[in-house]
Amino acid sequence: MEFDVVWSLLGLPIAFGLGWLASRFDLRQLRLENRQAPKAYFRGLNFLLNEQQDQAIDAFIEAVQNDPDTSELHFALGNLFRRRGEYDRAVRVHQHLLSRGDLGRADRERAQHALALDYLKAGLLDRAEEALRRLEGTPFEEQARLALLAIYERSRDWQQAAEITARMTASGQGNFAPRLAHYLCEQAVAQVAAGRTDEARALLDRAVATAPDAPRARIERALLQRSTGDAAGAFEALRALGQDLPLWMPLVAAPLAGAAQDSGQADAAREQLKRYYDQSPSLDVLDAIVALEKAAGAGDGARGWYLRHLEREPSLVATAKWMAGQPSLAPDEAPVHPQVQRALDLAAKPLSRYRCAACGFEANRHFWQCPGCQTWDSYPARRVEEL
């Protein structure tokens, strides 16, 4: 009994000493790790500020290894990978975050948004769409909807684009009525190409009701009316459009003249076009007037319109068109005329294009959505020479 008591008394200080040493070792290790992690983090931040992304990534990887539970380091590392174009590594970082069971709701939603951006930047649109749809009802909902809209536009999925635009408008995210009208018009064009004119007409009626002041829906509906035999209705629709939205008359002039000839209302169309031209000279309006004059048998008078235009405004395009109606420059210079005409046509061709106001992309025909920058309604109704 005495022996046990002695050893117990001797064992107490030994156990206390071992415990004290163990605690000191743990504290030293913890302090060392805590010193290493901030140092690696701040070193990475310094590299990042100096635009040394390779060194910054190495430093952040070291920091993550020292403190794998810190979500902010993971987000910083994933964003760096995405900026460098290393999308597969960015995806793995954000997927690792989402797989953690201890991640809070706010950080989980943030990681989901970052993962969607990874897929979007990598061009994996199907995966990006799935990831973005999971953000409904989160603080990232508005950003996710805008990204989804961009995906549907790129893939030309106009029905999905129309649906999400309607939701965005209903939630007060903005006025997307003009954009929705474009989506409905795109669907109508596809229906016309497939021979389903009734469905196309319904879509265009909806587009006009959605955005009454948008010219495209009214123009497309008038063109459909004319193609289905209702030339009189098309003329009245285009005539009203020219009065309501005069800035778009240059784009309306040619179909207006065609519908007027088909419906026997050429005189009314000619008077309206002349009134507009007197107020705001336009080459497209001038061409429509000349076409109506020629149809009425006034070919020589029609050529005089180009001369009158040159008196008001210098125009290489009008000069080329006037010369095209002349038999020759002079009786003894007839062989020279085709060469001069060809040179004028080549010089005037770039001036007859349309130019995007957003990116400057030029095209031979008018686009409602720029093929270069994908901006809607960025092409004015007038051609390059008139801008």
Side-chain angles (χ1 to χ4, degrees):
M1 188 68 179
E2 184 178 350
F3 176 79
D4 294 338
V5 172
V6 172
W7 279 106
S8 299
L9 293 174
L10 290 175
L12 285 174
I14 295 174
F16 176 80
L18 291 174
W20 182 82
L21 289 174
S23 65
R24 294 294 297 174
F25 177 77
D26 289 339
L27 287 173
R28 284 182 184 178
Q29 185 68 22
L30 182 61
R31 288 171 183 171
L32 179 62
E33 291 177 354
N34 288 338
R35 283 197 299 268
Q36 287 177 345
K39 283 182 180 179
Y41 176 79
F42 289 118
R43 189 165 63 250
L45 184 60
N46 182 56
F47 284 134
L48 190 60
L49 292 174
N50 292 323
E51 298 184 357
Q52 296 174 288
Q53 293 190 7
D54 291 331
Q55 294 88 336
I57 286 176
D58 293 337
F60 282 133
I61 289 176
E62 179 186 347
V64 167
Q65 290 173 346
N66 292 330
D67 191 3
D69 295 330
T70 304
S71 59
E72 289 298 330
L73 293 177
H74 285 78
F75 283 121
L77 191 58
N79 292 337
L80 272 176
F81 284 144
R82 190 193 312 127
R83 288 179 59 185
R84 284 177 51 85
E86 299 180 40
Y87 304 120
D88 54 339
R89 300 179 74 180
V91 166
R92 287 200 298 271
V93 169
H94 294 131
Q95 284 180 336
H96 172 70
L97 277 171
L98 288 172
S99 66
R100 285 173 47 181
D102 61 338
L103 198 66
R105 179 177 177 180
D107 283 342
R108 184 171 298 279
E109 292 168 348
R110 182 181 171 190
Q112 183 67 41
H113 180 248
L115 181 63
L117 293 180
D118 296 338
Y119 288 140
L120 193 61
K121 292 290 186 180
L124 303 174
L125 300 185
D126 53 343
R127 296 186 181 182
E129 179 184 358
E130 181 182 355
L132 289 167
R133 285 192 173 278
R134 294 180 180 176
L135 293 170
E136 285 288 331
T138 71
F140 298 97
E141 180 181 66
E142 293 186 359
Q143 300 176 45
R145 287 176 174 175
L146 288 172
L148 280 172
L149 194 59
I151 290 175
Y152 295 142
E153 285 190 3
R154 288 176 60 181
S155 58
R156 302 187 69 81
D157 189 346
W158 304 118
Q159 184 174 357
Q160 290 272 30
E163 291 176 0
I164 197 167
T165 302
R167 291 206 302 270
M168 292 166 68
T169 302
S171 64
Q173 193 168 341
N175 181 20
F176 292 89
R179 188 81 66 92
L180 177 57
H182 279 300
Y183 300 151
L184 295 171
C185 288
E186 292 288 349
Q187 295 179 65
V189 170
Q191 295 292 342
V192 170
R196 294 188 285 268
T197 56
D198 291 339
E199 290 83 348
R201 187 177 293 106
L203 287 167
L204 292 173
D205 289 342
R206 182 183 166 194
V208 172
T210 300
D213 295 331
R216 184 187 182 181
R218 297 172 66 175
I219 293 174
E220 295 283 1
R221 188 170 65 175
L223 294 177
L224 180 61
Q225 286 177 291
R226 184 185 175 192
S227 65
T228 54
D230 185 12
F235 170 72
E236 291 300 330
L238 293 170
R239 186 178 184 179
L241 175 59
Q243 294 172 349
D244 297 339
L245 305 172
L247 289 177
W248 292 95
M249 180 58 89
L251 205 63
V252 175
L256 174 67
Q261 290 179 2
D262 293 343
S263 60
Q265 302 184 75
D267 292 339
R270 188 161 52 244
E271 290 302 318
Q272 181 178 4
L273 291 171
K274 287 180 179 179
R275 284 196 302 270
Y276 178 87
Y277 180 82
D278 290 338
Q279 296 174 1
S280 180
S282 164
L283 289 171
D284 287 292
V285 174
L286 180 61
D287 288 341
I289 294 173
V290 169
L292 290 172
E293 294 281 355
K294 287 182 178 180
D300 294 337
R303 286 195 297 272
W305 275 94
Y306 290 117
L307 286 176
R308 287 193 290 273
H309 184 81
L310 290 173
E311 292 174 358
R312 299 184 62 172
E313 295 184 2
S315 170
L316 193 59
V317 176
T319 302
K321 292 182 177 182
W322 174 79
M323 285 195 62
Q326 301 302 311
S328 64
L329 294 174
D332 58 341
E333 297 178 349
V336 181
H337 184 82
Q339 300 175 18
V340 175
Q341 183 67 55
R342 185 164 56 251
L344 274 175
D345 290 340
L346 287 174
K349 188 175 182 179
L351 301 176
S352 301
R353 297 172 180 166
Y354 294 95
R355 180 186 295 156
C356 174
C359 70
F361 186 91
E362 294 185 1
N364 291 328
R365 68 182 184 88
H366 184 274
F367 284 98
W368 296 106
Q369 184 186 28
C370 176
C373 64
Q374 306 300 310
T375 304
W376 291 97
D377 294 323
S378 60
Y379 276 86
R382 292 179 176 267
R383 300 177 186 270
V384 170
E385 190 181 52
E386 301 175 295
L387 296 178

